[in-house]
Every structure is written in C-alpha cells, then in structure tokens.
Amino acid sequence: MKEKLEQIKAEALRQIEASDALEKLNEVRVNFLGKKGELTSVLKGLKDIAPEERPKVGQLVNDVRAQIESVLEEAVSQMEKAAREAQMKAEVIDVTLPAKKNKIGHRHPNTIAMEEVERIFVGMGYEVVEGPEIETDYYNFEALNIPADHPAKDEQDTFYINGDILLRTQTSGTQVHEMEKGRLPIRMLAPGRVFRSDEVDATHSPSFHQIEGLVIDKHITFADLKGTLAEFAKELFGEDTKVKFRPHHFNFTEPSAEMDVSCFKCGGEGCRFCKGSGWIEILGCGMVHPNVLRMSKIDPEKYSGFAFGIGLERIALLKYEIDDMRLLYENDIRFLKQF
Ligand code: DAH
C-alpha cells in the first residue's frame, strides 16, 4: 500500500512538473485529488484492510494528499505570477513615444471675419438675428420698396422655387422680419447666406454671405450712420482708417450711399491692392426709406433709421489678402489653416 501511495505521489509530482498551463495543473488536481481521483480510490479501498492498519494507512494517504496539494499550489501560484508578468510586459506603455496628433478642424476665414464683425457691433449694443434663406418675393423685394417688374430685380436674379418663393438675394429681408415683430427700438445684425444667378469667377459665386445691419429709433440721422460705420471701419481695419461715402441708389434707403475705406495696405497712397485709387469699397448703406417703414407698420413721422449691408466674403478677401473668392469655397485645409 505504501508503495502504491509513493507511486501515486511520484506520478502526481511528475505531472505537475510537466504542466505548462493552469488548465493542465487543474487536470492533475482532478485526477489525483478529486472525487474520482486516485487518492480517493485508495481511501475507498481502506475497508479491505485490517481495521488496526486503517489509521496508519489513512494517515499516510492524508500525508501524500497534503504533499501533492502543497506542490500543486506552489506550481499554480508560480504559473499565475509568470502569466501576470508576461501580461505586464506586453502591456507596457512607452511614454517616450511621440503622441499621435489629433487633427482638429480650422475656422473658415468667412467665419473668422463674421465673428469679428459681430464682435464689433455687439460691442455697440446690436443683437445678432437670423432670417430665412428661402424667402417670399414680399420679404426679398416688395417690402423693401422693390415692386413687381422693377428693373432692380434684374440685377438680383435668383433661383425661384415658384413665382412667389425664392432663395433670398440679400439679407435685407431680415430687416422686414424684425420690424414686423413690432418691438422698437431695433439694433440688429443679421449675417447669412444669399443666392444669385451668377457665374462663378474670382469675385462672384451663386452663393455668398452678407451681414445686414438695421437701426430704428427716434431721432436717428445720417450722422448716426456715419459715426457708427466709421467706428466699425476703424475697429476692423485699424485706427487710422478713413471712410468716404459716395451717393448711390438702393430702393429701400433714401438717401443711399456706398462706403469706401482708405486702403489699409498703402494708407491711401494708391497701390495694386486698391487698384491705385487709395480707397476700397466695403458696404452699401442709407437711411431707411419711409415706404419701407410704413409697409412694416412703423410710423416714419415718429421713427427713423439707417441700414447697411456688408459682403462678408469681400471682408474676408480683403482682411486676409486672398485674391480669388473660389479659394474660400474649396475647403482645402492647407489653404484654410493659414488664417
Ligand atoms: N442689400 C444690398 C445688396 O445686396 C446691400 C445693402 C445696401 C443693404 C444698402 C442695406 C443697405 O441694408 O442699406 O446689394
């Protein structure tokens, strides 16, 4: 019996020694120490042994069991330790490796210019509002004193959805939406996308952006318009910027003007940038026409106002010295990230 036990023990230790995985050690445990294992069957055989021998043999079985168990446990913990170490080695992070750069986008020059214009007017107490890109003829033309069949409509041909619904040609319709709300006074800035049936070239696009401004209050005069826009030009192009107003015609303002700024490249001397004139045109403006006020239920005897419209792309092209508008729409990141 003793010999048999020694044999079992030797075989168990040999198998433990030969195990190269935790599952194998578990098999050894089951085969030798489990319910149907070799040692258990020896214990079951005790009943065939003389009673006085039984305690001794029982003791012997327990000793062998304890020895196998302790060797097995040691082997298991060795193997677990080795596995942990291997895992840690595999997962080690080299903190000296250069990090992968996250490519984040870049604000578009139009957006940068728009936010700059907004910042200046918000600083003067203007509210930024939005109007719809799909408009009716009434808001885009009629309520701006441009009646049906007026020749001014030819200059602003657009994309008609039907006879009455169109893609707006100007942000000026937003003036009407704001005036109709009936909340006075008004100091609003309305940036947005506009559409015209134009061929693409270096200075034209069928879709571009404008920033509309409107002020309505009591006692607003042309002096307010001039002061406001002169201040705006200084903030945008520099303290030394001068402005010049040239008479013009817009149906919805009377009188109307176009405003030029002194060339910020040459300071007014005349250069390639301002085509030798020393001046650069940047916006249209004027005093809101009494017809326009009346159509939006504002009494021109009590209230007056001024309005202006800035071409956003024009500002972006000027400020960042870009000479072809098409570059603004290609969205090439190598171009965009320069600004
Ligand atoms: N809407 C005009 C255009 O697209 C620009 C403009 C001129 C807007 C004068 C105004 C204004 O508000 O007073 O050409």
Side-chain angles (χ1 to χ4, degrees), residues 175-199:
Q175 294 184 23
V176 181
H177 287 289
E178 283 305 299
M179 287 189 288
E180 281 184 348
K181 287 181 183 164
R183 287 196 302 255
L184 295 171
I186 295 171
R187 258 195 234 108
M188 64 141 233
L189 198 68
R193 190 167 180 182
V194 300
F195 306 84
R196 290 192 196 176
S197 177
D198 275 341
E199 296 279 344

mmCIF file with all atom_site columns, all heavy atoms in Angstrom, residues 175-199:
data_model
loop_
_atom_site.group_PDB
_atom_site.id
_atom_site.type_symbol
_atom_site.label_atom_id
_atom_site.label_alt_id
_atom_site.label_comp_id
_atom_site.label_asym_id
_atom_site.label_entity_id
_atom_site.label_seq_id
_atom_site.pdbx_PDB_ins_code
_atom_site.Cartn_x
_atom_site.Cartn_y
_atom_site.Cartn_z
_atom_site.occupancy
_atom_site.B_iso_or_equiv
_atom_site.pdbx_formal_charge
_atom_site.auth_seq_id
_atom_site.auth_comp_id
_atom_site.auth_asym_id
_atom_site.auth_atom_id
_atom_site.pdbx_PDB_model_num
ATOM 1   N N   . GLN A 1 175 ? -34.471 92.628  -42.225 1.00 0.00 ? 175 GLN A N   1
ATOM 2   C CA  . GLN A 1 175 ? -34.926 93.917  -41.667 1.00 0.00 ? 175 GLN A CA  1
ATOM 3   C C   . GLN A 1 175 ? -36.439 93.889  -41.484 1.00 0.00 ? 175 GLN A C   1
ATOM 4   O O   . GLN A 1 175 ? -36.966 94.290  -40.452 1.00 0.00 ? 175 GLN A O   1
ATOM 5   C CB  . GLN A 1 175 ? -34.603 95.072  -42.615 1.00 0.00 ? 175 GLN A CB  1
ATOM 6   C CG  . GLN A 1 175 ? -33.142 95.364  -42.835 1.00 0.00 ? 175 GLN A CG  1
ATOM 7   C CD  . GLN A 1 175 ? -32.974 96.598  -43.735 1.00 0.00 ? 175 GLN A CD  1
ATOM 8   O OE1 . GLN A 1 175 ? -33.860 97.442  -43.830 1.00 0.00 ? 175 GLN A OE1 1
ATOM 9   N NE2 . GLN A 1 175 ? -31.823 96.711  -44.379 1.00 0.00 ? 175 GLN A NE2 1
ATOM 10  N N   . VAL A 1 176 ? -37.117 93.405  -42.543 1.00 0.00 ? 176 VAL A N   1
ATOM 11  C CA  . VAL A 1 176 ? -38.582 93.406  -42.547 1.00 0.00 ? 176 VAL A CA  1
ATOM 12  C C   . VAL A 1 176 ? -39.112 92.470  -41.453 1.00 0.00 ? 176 VAL A C   1
ATOM 13  O O   . VAL A 1 176 ? -40.004 92.826  -40.684 1.00 0.00 ? 176 VAL A O   1
ATOM 14  C CB  . VAL A 1 176 ? -39.118 92.999  -43.938 1.00 0.00 ? 176 VAL A CB  1
ATOM 15  C CG1 . VAL A 1 176 ? -40.642 93.013  -43.944 1.00 0.00 ? 176 VAL A CG1 1
ATOM 16  C CG2 . VAL A 1 176 ? -38.549 93.911  -45.016 1.00 0.00 ? 176 VAL A CG2 1
ATOM 17  N N   . HIS A 1 177 ? -38.509 91.261  -41.369 1.00 0.00 ? 177 HIS A N   1
ATOM 18  C CA  . HIS A 1 177 ? -38.935 90.314  -40.328 1.00 0.00 ? 177 HIS A CA  1
ATOM 19  C C   . HIS A 1 177 ? -38.804 90.937  -38.936 1.00 0.00 ? 177 HIS A C   1
ATOM 20  O O   . HIS A 1 177 ? -39.681 90.783  -38.087 1.00 0.00 ? 177 HIS A O   1
ATOM 21  C CB  . HIS A 1 177 ? -38.093 89.030  -40.385 1.00 0.00 ? 177 HIS A CB  1
ATOM 22  C CG  . HIS A 1 177 ? -38.425 88.147  -41.554 1.00 0.00 ? 177 HIS A CG  1
ATOM 23  N ND1 . HIS A 1 177 ? -39.593 87.444  -41.625 1.00 0.00 ? 177 HIS A ND1 1
ATOM 24  C CD2 . HIS A 1 177 ? -37.729 87.862  -42.690 1.00 0.00 ? 177 HIS A CD2 1
ATOM 25  C CE1 . HIS A 1 177 ? -39.611 86.740  -42.774 1.00 0.00 ? 177 HIS A CE1 1
ATOM 26  N NE2 . HIS A 1 177 ? -38.500 87.002  -43.430 1.00 0.00 ? 177 HIS A NE2 1
ATOM 27  N N   . GLU A 1 178 ? -37.720 91.657  -38.721 1.00 0.00 ? 178 GLU A N   1
ATOM 28  C CA  . GLU A 1 178 ? -37.505 92.260  -37.394 1.00 0.00 ? 178 GLU A CA  1
ATOM 29  C C   . GLU A 1 178 ? -38.471 93.410  -37.135 1.00 0.00 ? 178 GLU A C   1
ATOM 30  O O   . GLU A 1 178 ? -39.030 93.536  -36.050 1.00 0.00 ? 178 GLU A O   1
ATOM 31  C CB  . GLU A 1 178 ? -36.058 92.747  -37.253 1.00 0.00 ? 178 GLU A CB  1
ATOM 32  C CG  . GLU A 1 178 ? -35.053 91.650  -37.005 1.00 0.00 ? 178 GLU A CG  1
ATOM 33  C CD  . GLU A 1 178 ? -35.381 90.784  -35.790 1.00 0.00 ? 178 GLU A CD  1
ATOM 34  O OE1 . GLU A 1 178 ? -35.441 91.309  -34.672 1.00 0.00 ? 178 GLU A OE1 1
ATOM 35  O OE2 . GLU A 1 178 ? -35.592 89.565  -35.985 1.00 0.00 ? 178 GLU A OE2 1
ATOM 36  N N   . MET A 1 179 ? -38.683 94.236  -38.170 1.00 0.00 ? 179 MET A N   1
ATOM 37  C CA  . MET A 1 179 ? -39.586 95.382  -37.978 1.00 0.00 ? 179 MET A CA  1
ATOM 38  C C   . MET A 1 179 ? -41.008 94.912  -37.711 1.00 0.00 ? 179 MET A C   1
ATOM 39  O O   . MET A 1 179 ? -41.720 95.485  -36.900 1.00 0.00 ? 179 MET A O   1
ATOM 40  C CB  . MET A 1 179 ? -39.545 96.297  -39.218 1.00 0.00 ? 179 MET A CB  1
ATOM 41  C CG  . MET A 1 179 ? -38.250 97.085  -39.323 1.00 0.00 ? 179 MET A CG  1
ATOM 42  S SD  . MET A 1 179 ? -38.284 98.341  -40.627 1.00 0.00 ? 179 MET A SD  1
ATOM 43  C CE  . MET A 1 179 ? -38.209 97.345  -42.106 1.00 0.00 ? 179 MET A CE  1
ATOM 44  N N   . GLU A 1 180 ? -41.402 93.810  -38.402 1.00 0.00 ? 180 GLU A N   1
ATOM 45  C CA  . GLU A 1 180 ? -42.775 93.297  -38.228 1.00 0.00 ? 180 GLU A CA  1
ATOM 46  C C   . GLU A 1 180 ? -43.055 92.802  -36.823 1.00 0.00 ? 180 GLU A C   1
ATOM 47  O O   . GLU A 1 180 ? -44.210 92.705  -36.418 1.00 0.00 ? 180 GLU A O   1
ATOM 48  C CB  . GLU A 1 180 ? -43.024 92.141  -39.221 1.00 0.00 ? 180 GLU A CB  1
ATOM 49  C CG  . GLU A 1 180 ? -43.329 92.619  -40.617 1.00 0.00 ? 180 GLU A CG  1
ATOM 50  C CD  . GLU A 1 180 ? -43.672 91.464  -41.537 1.00 0.00 ? 180 GLU A CD  1
ATOM 51  O OE1 . GLU A 1 180 ? -43.441 90.304  -41.149 1.00 0.00 ? 180 GLU A OE1 1
ATOM 52  O OE2 . GLU A 1 180 ? -44.161 91.736  -42.643 1.00 0.00 ? 180 GLU A OE2 1
ATOM 53  N N   . LYS A 1 181 ? -41.987 92.478  -36.082 1.00 0.00 ? 181 LYS A N   1
ATOM 54  C CA  . LYS A 1 181 ? -42.196 91.986  -34.712 1.00 0.00 ? 181 LYS A CA  1
ATOM 55  C C   . LYS A 1 181 ? -42.787 93.082  -33.826 1.00 0.00 ? 181 LYS A C   1
ATOM 56  O O   . LYS A 1 181 ? -43.308 92.794  -32.749 1.00 0.00 ? 181 LYS A O   1
ATOM 57  C CB  . LYS A 1 181 ? -40.877 91.484  -34.113 1.00 0.00 ? 181 LYS A CB  1
ATOM 58  C CG  . LYS A 1 181 ? -40.417 90.167  -34.704 1.00 0.00 ? 181 LYS A CG  1
ATOM 59  C CD  . LYS A 1 181 ? -39.124 89.706  -34.053 1.00 0.00 ? 181 LYS A CD  1
ATOM 60  C CE  . LYS A 1 181 ? -38.648 88.412  -34.721 1.00 0.00 ? 181 LYS A CE  1
ATOM 61  N NZ  . LYS A 1 181 ? -37.220 88.137  -34.402 1.00 0.00 ? 181 LYS A NZ  1
ATOM 62  N N   . GLY A 1 182 ? -42.632 94.337  -34.285 1.00 0.00 ? 182 GLY A N   1
ATOM 63  C CA  . GLY A 1 182 ? -43.250 95.439  -33.563 1.00 0.00 ? 182 GLY A CA  1
ATOM 64  C C   . GLY A 1 182 ? -42.542 95.826  -32.265 1.00 0.00 ? 182 GLY A C   1
ATOM 65  O O   . GLY A 1 182 ? -43.131 96.451  -31.396 1.00 0.00 ? 182 GLY A O   1
ATOM 66  N N   . ARG A 1 183 ? -41.284 95.385  -32.114 1.00 0.00 ? 183 ARG A N   1
ATOM 67  C CA  . ARG A 1 183 ? -40.549 95.767  -30.901 1.00 0.00 ? 183 ARG A CA  1
ATOM 68  C C   . ARG A 1 183 ? -39.532 96.838  -31.258 1.00 0.00 ? 183 ARG A C   1
ATOM 69  O O   . ARG A 1 183 ? -38.599 96.585  -32.011 1.00 0.00 ? 183 ARG A O   1
ATOM 70  C CB  . ARG A 1 183 ? -39.821 94.546  -30.318 1.00 0.00 ? 183 ARG A CB  1
ATOM 71  C CG  . ARG A 1 183 ? -40.748 93.547  -29.647 1.00 0.00 ? 183 ARG A CG  1
ATOM 72  C CD  . ARG A 1 183 ? -39.936 92.597  -28.771 1.00 0.00 ? 183 ARG A CD  1
ATOM 73  N NE  . ARG A 1 183 ? -38.925 91.887  -29.559 1.00 0.00 ? 183 ARG A NE  1
ATOM 74  C CZ  . ARG A 1 183 ? -39.035 90.602  -29.919 1.00 0.00 ? 183 ARG A CZ  1
ATOM 75  N NH1 . ARG A 1 183 ? -40.084 89.904  -29.541 1.00 0.00 ? 183 ARG A NH1 1
ATOM 76  N NH2 . ARG A 1 183 ? -38.089 90.033  -30.617 1.00 0.00 ? 183 ARG A NH2 1
ATOM 77  N N   . LEU A 1 184 ? -39.737 98.033  -30.720 1.00 0.00 ? 184 LEU A N   1
ATOM 78  C CA  . LEU A 1 184 ? -38.834 99.146  -31.021 1.00 0.00 ? 184 LEU A CA  1
ATOM 79  C C   . LEU A 1 184 ? -38.196 99.647  -29.741 1.00 0.00 ? 184 LEU A C   1
ATOM 80  O O   . LEU A 1 184 ? -38.808 99.530  -28.688 1.00 0.00 ? 184 LEU A O   1
ATOM 81  C CB  . LEU A 1 184 ? -39.616 100.276 -31.701 1.00 0.00 ? 184 LEU A CB  1
ATOM 82  C CG  . LEU A 1 184 ? -40.187 99.935  -33.082 1.00 0.00 ? 184 LEU A CG  1
ATOM 83  C CD1 . LEU A 1 184 ? -41.134 101.026 -33.574 1.00 0.00 ? 184 LEU A CD1 1
ATOM 84  C CD2 . LEU A 1 184 ? -39.066 99.740  -34.103 1.00 0.00 ? 184 LEU A CD2 1
ATOM 85  N N   . PRO A 1 185 ? -37.013 100.215 -29.766 1.00 0.00 ? 185 PRO A N   1
ATOM 86  C CA  . PRO A 1 185 ? -36.145 100.394 -30.948 1.00 0.00 ? 185 PRO A CA  1
ATOM 87  C C   . PRO A 1 185 ? -35.502 99.074  -31.406 1.00 0.00 ? 185 PRO A C   1
ATOM 88  O O   . PRO A 1 185 ? -35.564 98.085  -30.698 1.00 0.00 ? 185 PRO A O   1
ATOM 89  C CB  . PRO A 1 185 ? -35.079 101.353 -30.418 1.00 0.00 ? 185 PRO A CB  1
ATOM 90  C CG  . PRO A 1 185 ? -34.995 101.068 -28.960 1.00 0.00 ? 185 PRO A CG  1
ATOM 91  C CD  . PRO A 1 185 ? -36.383 100.713 -28.532 1.00 0.00 ? 185 PRO A CD  1
ATOM 92  N N   . ILE A 1 186 ? -34.880 99.135  -32.608 1.00 0.00 ? 186 ILE A N   1
ATOM 93  C CA  . ILE A 1 186 ? -34.187 97.964  -33.160 1.00 0.00 ? 186 ILE A CA  1
ATOM 94  C C   . ILE A 1 186 ? -32.716 98.304  -33.364 1.00 0.00 ? 186 ILE A C   1
ATOM 95  O O   . ILE A 1 186 ? -32.381 99.386  -33.861 1.00 0.00 ? 186 ILE A O   1
ATOM 96  C CB  . ILE A 1 186 ? -34.792 97.574  -34.534 1.00 0.00 ? 186 ILE A CB  1
ATOM 97  C CG1 . ILE A 1 186 ? -36.243 97.107  -34.384 1.00 0.00 ? 186 ILE A CG1 1
ATOM 98  C CG2 . ILE A 1 186 ? -33.950 96.484  -35.206 1.00 0.00 ? 186 ILE A CG2 1
ATOM 99  C CD1 . ILE A 1 186 ? -36.965 96.909  -35.714 1.00 0.00 ? 186 ILE A CD1 1
ATOM 100 N N   . ARG A 1 187 ? -31.880 97.390  -32.940 1.00 0.00 ? 187 ARG A N   1
ATOM 101 C CA  . ARG A 1 187 ? -30.449 97.464  -33.300 1.00 0.00 ? 187 ARG A CA  1
ATOM 102 C C   . ARG A 1 187 ? -30.025 96.038  -33.614 1.00 0.00 ? 187 ARG A C   1
ATOM 103 O O   . ARG A 1 187 ? -29.739 95.265  -32.726 1.00 0.00 ? 187 ARG A O   1
ATOM 104 C CB  . ARG A 1 187 ? -29.615 97.994  -32.121 1.00 0.00 ? 187 ARG A CB  1
ATOM 105 C CG  . ARG A 1 187 ? -29.245 99.434  -32.275 1.00 0.00 ? 187 ARG A CG  1
ATOM 106 C CD  . ARG A 1 187 ? -28.144 99.823  -31.304 1.00 0.00 ? 187 ARG A CD  1
ATOM 107 N NE  . ARG A 1 187 ? -28.569 100.964 -30.539 1.00 0.00 ? 187 ARG A NE  1
ATOM 108 C CZ  . ARG A 1 187 ? -28.903 100.932 -29.263 1.00 0.00 ? 187 ARG A CZ  1
ATOM 109 N NH1 . ARG A 1 187 ? -28.857 99.822  -28.582 1.00 0.00 ? 187 ARG A NH1 1
ATOM 110 N NH2 . ARG A 1 187 ? -29.289 102.021 -28.649 1.00 0.00 ? 187 ARG A NH2 1
ATOM 111 N N   . MET A 1 188 ? -30.078 95.675  -34.885 1.00 0.00 ? 188 MET A N   1
ATOM 112 C CA  . MET A 1 188 ? -29.841 94.273  -35.227 1.00 0.00 ? 188 MET A CA  1
ATOM 113 C C   . MET A 1 188 ? -28.739 94.078  -36.269 1.00 0.00 ? 188 MET A C   1
ATOM 114 O O   . MET A 1 188 ? -28.435 94.952  -37.070 1.00 0.00 ? 188 MET A O   1
ATOM 115 C CB  . MET A 1 188 ? -31.125 93.624  -35.763 1.00 0.00 ? 188 MET A CB  1
ATOM 116 C CG  . MET A 1 188 ? -31.610 94.244  -37.078 1.00 0.00 ? 188 MET A CG  1
ATOM 117 S SD  . MET A 1 188 ? -32.258 93.028  -38.249 1.00 0.00 ? 188 MET A SD  1
ATOM 118 C CE  . MET A 1 188 ? -31.310 93.397  -39.710 1.00 0.00 ? 188 MET A CE  1
ATOM 119 N N   . LEU A 1 189 ? -28.152 92.910  -36.182 1.00 0.00 ? 189 LEU A N   1
ATOM 120 C CA  . LEU A 1 189 ? -27.144 92.495  -37.144 1.00 0.00 ? 189 LEU A CA  1
ATOM 121 C C   . LEU A 1 189 ? -27.583 91.116  -37.627 1.00 0.00 ? 189 LEU A C   1
ATOM 122 O O   . LEU A 1 189 ? -27.865 90.241  -36.815 1.00 0.00 ? 189 LEU A O   1
ATOM 123 C CB  . LEU A 1 189 ? -25.784 92.400  -36.443 1.00 0.00 ? 189 LEU A CB  1
ATOM 124 C CG  . LEU A 1 189 ? -24.556 92.398  -37.323 1.00 0.00 ? 189 LEU A CG  1
ATOM 125 C CD1 . LEU A 1 189 ? -24.389 93.761  -37.983 1.00 0.00 ? 189 LEU A CD1 1
ATOM 126 C CD2 . LEU A 1 189 ? -23.317 92.059  -36.514 1.00 0.00 ? 189 LEU A CD2 1
ATOM 127 N N   . ALA A 1 190 ? -27.691 90.944  -38.960 1.00 0.00 ? 190 ALA A N   1
ATOM 128 C CA  . ALA A 1 190 ? -28.194 89.668  -39.475 1.00 0.00 ? 190 ALA A CA  1
ATOM 129 C C   . ALA A 1 190 ? -27.247 89.085  -40.517 1.00 0.00 ? 190 ALA A C   1
ATOM 130 O O   . ALA A 1 190 ? -27.322 89.420  -41.688 1.00 0.00 ? 190 ALA A O   1
ATOM 131 C CB  . ALA A 1 190 ? -29.579 89.857  -40.078 1.00 0.00 ? 190 ALA A CB  1
ATOM 132 N N   . PRO A 1 191 ? -26.331 88.232  -40.071 1.00 0.00 ? 191 PRO A N   1
ATOM 133 C CA  . PRO A 1 191 ? -25.449 87.587  -41.033 1.00 0.00 ? 191 PRO A CA  1
ATOM 134 C C   . PRO A 1 191 ? -26.172 86.424  -41.702 1.00 0.00 ? 191 PRO A C   1
ATOM 135 O O   . PRO A 1 191 ? -27.064 85.827  -41.100 1.00 0.00 ? 191 PRO A O   1
ATOM 136 C CB  . PRO A 1 191 ? -24.296 87.049  -40.175 1.00 0.00 ? 191 PRO A CB  1
ATOM 137 C CG  . PRO A 1 191 ? -24.845 86.940  -38.793 1.00 0.00 ? 191 PRO A CG  1
ATOM 138 C CD  . PRO A 1 191 ? -26.093 87.766  -38.699 1.00 0.00 ? 191 PRO A CD  1
ATOM 139 N N   . GLY A 1 192 ? -25.821 86.109  -42.946 1.00 0.00 ? 192 GLY A N   1
ATOM 140 C CA  . GLY A 1 192 ? -26.473 84.952  -43.565 1.00 0.00 ? 192 GLY A CA  1
ATOM 141 C C   . GLY A 1 192 ? -26.090 84.748  -45.013 1.00 0.00 ? 192 GLY A C   1
ATOM 142 O O   . GLY A 1 192 ? -25.444 85.590  -45.647 1.00 0.00 ? 192 GLY A O   1
ATOM 143 N N   . ARG A 1 193 ? -26.556 83.605  -45.498 1.00 0.00 ? 193 ARG A N   1
ATOM 144 C CA  . ARG A 1 193 ? -26.216 83.188  -46.846 1.00 0.00 ? 193 ARG A CA  1
ATOM 145 C C   . ARG A 1 193 ? -27.231 83.745  -47.841 1.00 0.00 ? 193 ARG A C   1
ATOM 146 O O   . ARG A 1 193 ? -28.430 83.759  -47.552 1.00 0.00 ? 193 ARG A O   1
ATOM 147 C CB  . ARG A 1 193 ? -26.263 81.674  -46.861 1.00 0.00 ? 193 ARG A CB  1
ATOM 148 C CG  . ARG A 1 193 ? -25.716 81.053  -48.076 1.00 0.00 ? 193 ARG A CG  1
ATOM 149 C CD  . ARG A 1 193 ? -25.543 79.577  -47.790 1.00 0.00 ? 193 ARG A CD  1
ATOM 150 N NE  . ARG A 1 193 ? -25.009 78.923  -48.956 1.00 0.00 ? 193 ARG A NE  1
ATOM 151 C CZ  . ARG A 1 193 ? -24.781 77.623  -49.022 1.00 0.00 ? 193 ARG A CZ  1
ATOM 152 N NH1 . ARG A 1 193 ? -25.060 76.857  -47.994 1.00 0.00 ? 193 ARG A NH1 1
ATOM 153 N NH2 . ARG A 1 193 ? -24.300 77.095  -50.121 1.00 0.00 ? 193 ARG A NH2 1
ATOM 154 N N   . VAL A 1 194 ? -26.745 84.199  -48.977 1.00 0.00 ? 194 VAL A N   1
ATOM 155 C CA  . VAL A 1 194 ? -27.629 84.714  -50.025 1.00 0.00 ? 194 VAL A CA  1
ATOM 156 C C   . VAL A 1 194 ? -27.282 84.056  -51.356 1.00 0.00 ? 194 VAL A C   1
ATOM 157 O O   . VAL A 1 194 ? -26.213 83.440  -51.490 1.00 0.00 ? 194 VAL A O   1
ATOM 158 C CB  . VAL A 1 194 ? -27.534 86.254  -50.141 1.00 0.00 ? 194 VAL A CB  1
ATOM 159 C CG1 . VAL A 1 194 ? -27.932 86.920  -48.843 1.00 0.00 ? 194 VAL A CG1 1
ATOM 160 C CG2 . VAL A 1 194 ? -26.138 86.688  -50.562 1.00 0.00 ? 194 VAL A CG2 1
ATOM 161 N N   . PHE A 1 195 ? -28.195 84.165  -52.316 1.00 0.00 ? 195 PHE A N   1
ATOM 162 C CA  . PHE A 1 195 ? -28.050 83.429  -53.579 1.00 0.00 ? 195 PHE A CA  1
ATOM 163 C C   . PHE A 1 195 ? -28.343 84.341  -54.761 1.00 0.00 ? 195 PHE A C   1
ATOM 164 O O   . PHE A 1 195 ? -29.260 85.158  -54.700 1.00 0.00 ? 195 PHE A O   1
ATOM 165 C CB  . PHE A 1 195 ? -29.028 82.258  -53.601 1.00 0.00 ? 195 PHE A CB  1
ATOM 166 C CG  . PHE A 1 195 ? -28.906 81.354  -52.392 1.00 0.00 ? 195 PHE A CG  1
ATOM 167 C CD1 . PHE A 1 195 ? -29.573 81.678  -51.204 1.00 0.00 ? 195 PHE A CD1 1
ATOM 168 C CD2 . PHE A 1 195 ? -28.127 80.220  -52.434 1.00 0.00 ? 195 PHE A CD2 1
ATOM 169 C CE1 . PHE A 1 195 ? -29.456 80.863  -50.087 1.00 0.00 ? 195 PHE A CE1 1
ATOM 170 C CE2 . PHE A 1 195 ? -28.000 79.397  -51.320 1.00 0.00 ? 195 PHE A CE2 1
ATOM 171 C CZ  . PHE A 1 195 ? -28.672 79.719  -50.149 1.00 0.00 ? 195 PHE A CZ  1
ATOM 172 N N   . ARG A 1 196 ? -27.552 84.179  -55.800 1.00 0.00 ? 196 ARG A N   1
ATOM 173 C CA  . ARG A 1 196 ? -27.863 84.911  -57.031 1.00 0.00 ? 196 ARG A CA  1
ATOM 174 C C   . ARG A 1 196 ? -27.503 84.063  -58.219 1.00 0.00 ? 196 ARG A C   1
ATOM 175 O O   . ARG A 1 196 ? -26.603 83.219  -58.144 1.00 0.00 ? 196 ARG A O   1
ATOM 176 C CB  . ARG A 1 196 ? -27.084 86.236  -57.092 1.00 0.00 ? 196 ARG A CB  1
ATOM 177 C CG  . ARG A 1 196 ? -27.617 87.213  -56.068 1.00 0.00 ? 196 ARG A CG  1
ATOM 178 C CD  . ARG A 1 196 ? -27.116 88.610  -56.246 1.00 0.00 ? 196 ARG A CD  1
ATOM 179 N NE  . ARG A 1 196 ? -27.383 89.343  -55.010 1.00 0.00 ? 196 ARG A NE  1
ATOM 180 C CZ  . ARG A 1 196 ? -27.009 90.577  -54.775 1.00 0.00 ? 196 ARG A CZ  1
ATOM 181 N NH1 . ARG A 1 196 ? -26.341 91.239  -55.699 1.00 0.00 ? 196 ARG A NH1 1
ATOM 182 N NH2 . ARG A 1 196 ? -27.298 91.162  -53.633 1.00 0.00 ? 196 ARG A NH2 1
ATOM 183 N N   . SER A 1 197 ? -28.194 84.304  -59.301 1.00 0.00 ? 197 SER A N   1
ATOM 184 C CA  . SER A 1 197 ? -27.931 83.548  -60.513 1.00 0.00 ? 197 SER A CA  1
ATOM 185 C C   . SER A 1 197 ? -26.691 84.117  -61.189 1.00 0.00 ? 197 SER A C   1
ATOM 186 O O   . SER A 1 197 ? -26.777 84.782  -62.218 1.00 0.00 ? 197 SER A O   1
ATOM 187 C CB  . SER A 1 197 ? -29.164 83.647  -61.418 1.00 0.00 ? 197 SER A CB  1
ATOM 188 O OG  . SER A 1 197 ? -28.920 82.997  -62.614 1.00 0.00 ? 197 SER A OG  1
ATOM 189 N N   . ASP A 1 198 ? -25.537 83.884  -60.577 1.00 0.00 ? 198 ASP A N   1
ATOM 190 C CA  . ASP A 1 198 ? -24.273 84.429  -61.082 1.00 0.00 ? 198 ASP A CA  1
ATOM 191 C C   . ASP A 1 198 ? -23.325 83.309  -61.479 1.00 0.00 ? 198 ASP A C   1
ATOM 192 O O   . ASP A 1 198 ? -23.316 82.253  -60.860 1.00 0.00 ? 198 ASP A O   1
ATOM 193 C CB  . ASP A 1 198 ? -23.581 85.269  -59.991 1.00 0.00 ? 198 ASP A CB  1
ATOM 194 C CG  . ASP A 1 198 ? -24.082 86.700  -59.964 1.00 0.00 ? 198 ASP A CG  1
ATOM 195 O OD1 . ASP A 1 198 ? -24.671 87.138  -60.968 1.00 0.00 ? 198 ASP A OD1 1
ATOM 196 O OD2 . ASP A 1 198 ? -23.879 87.367  -58.930 1.00 0.00 ? 198 ASP A OD2 1
ATOM 197 N N   . GLU A 1 199 ? -22.513 83.564  -62.501 1.00 0.00 ? 199 GLU A N   1
ATOM 198 C CA  . GLU A 1 199 ? -21.463 82.608  -62.888 1.00 0.00 ? 199 GLU A CA  1
ATOM 199 C C   . GLU A 1 199 ? -20.329 82.701  -61.872 1.00 0.00 ? 199 GLU A C   1
ATOM 200 O O   . GLU A 1 199 ? -20.037 83.769  -61.349 1.00 0.00 ? 199 GLU A O   1
ATOM 201 C CB  . GLU A 1 199 ? -20.907 82.982  -64.274 1.00 0.00 ? 199 GLU A CB  1
ATOM 202 C CG  . GLU A 1 199 ? -21.904 82.877  -65.402 1.00 0.00 ? 199 GLU A CG  1
ATOM 203 C CD  . GLU A 1 199 ? -22.065 81.449  -65.906 1.00 0.00 ? 199 GLU A CD  1
ATOM 204 O OE1 . GLU A 1 199 ? -21.200 80.608  -65.590 1.00 0.00 ? 199 GLU A OE1 1
ATOM 205 O OE2 . GLU A 1 199 ? -23.062 81.180  -66.601 1.00 0.00 ? 199 GLU A OE2 1
#
